[in-house]
Amino acid sequence: MSPDDDGYIGYVLSDVARLIRTVFDRRVRSLGLTRAQWLVLSRLYRRPGASQTELADMLEVDRASAGRMIDRMEKGHWVERRGDAGDRRVKRLYLTQEARRVHARMWAIAERTVDDALAPLSPLERARFTGLAARVKEQLQSMAGADGAGTTEVPAPRPSRAAAS
């Protein structure tokens, strides 16, 4: 199989993830959510009390971009900042009650989207697919770092001393 073949696993995985996000984006538009907003809601739902730096890492954006997003969501009463007991400089992020209600509606849409995407698979194929994908995710997390949540990158090779002279 050549790298330009549509059956190449890397392309298939990338396309599946992109298409699920695209369909989901369209479906949650009815809730007034942008991709950035639903990503923040989902990350903070799973990790309440994350710091702005941790959220930026989870979203794979710089801290300034995350800060602007948080500012907008705080003004919209979706997110609240609370001080950290151990470090006054750190603000912990939490979803408001309204954001948790929207998350519940968003989650129902997410479940329908995944169900629709997996409709061509039998229950046994779904179970196998889920198990296999979980194993691949586990492998990638171990390759990426301890928890796989950060944006750990493989460092670029350093030029040898001989090449530098």
Side-chain angles (χ1 to χ4, degrees):
M1 190 165 296
S2 70
D4 59 346
D5 189 334
D6 281 342
Y8 177 65
I9 187 69
Y11 294 151
V12 172
L13 290 172
S14 178
D15 288 348
V16 166
R18 178 182 52 79
L19 288 165
I20 284 179
R21 281 190 308 272
T22 298
V23 170
F24 183 69
D25 283 344
R26 289 179 185 156
R27 290 179 175 188
V28 296
R29 222 177 273 149
S30 65
L31 300 177
L33 292 174
T34 64
R35 180 174 293 180
Q37 290 170 322
W38 68 252
L39 282 168
V40 169
L41 289 179
S42 64
R43 297 307 187 267
L44 290 180
Y45 183 84
R46 292 179 69 189
R47 295 261 322 270
S51 69
Q52 180 173 315
T53 300
E54 292 165 338
L55 180 64
D57 286 345
M58 288 185 273
L59 297 174
E60 298 180 8
V61 298
D62 61 70
R63 286 177 28 200
S65 296
R68 287 188 297 274
M69 226 180 301
I70 295 161
D71 288 343
R72 285 191 302 273
M73 292 188 77
E74 188 176 38
K75 284 179 186 160
H77 306 287
W78 295 69
V79 172
E80 58 185 45
R81 290 178 165 109
R82 297 181 198 160
D84 182 283
D87 187 342
R88 293 187 326 203
R89 297 168 298 175
V90 175
K91 298 291 183 196
R92 298 286 167 189
L93 305 169
Y94 296 89
L95 296 179
T96 63
Q97 189 62 37
E98 175 61 23
R100 284 192 293 276
R101 280 192 290 274
V102 170
H103 182 274
R105 293 173 62 202
M106 182 184 88
W107 187 253
I109 293 170
E111 287 181 316
R112 278 196 313 277
T113 302
V114 170
D115 282 345
D116 292 346
L118 298 179
L121 304 181
S122 72
L124 180 59
E125 288 172 321
R126 281 179 171 209
R128 285 183 179 158
F129 180 74
T130 301
L132 292 170
R135 284 176 41 202
V136 171
K137 177 184 173 183
E138 208 172 276
Q139 172 67 11
L140 288 167
Q141 285 175 322
S142 72
M143 291 166 58
D147 66 2
T151 56
T152 306
E153 295 179 21
V154 176
R158 292 183 178 201
S160 68
R161 289 188 185 262
S165 36

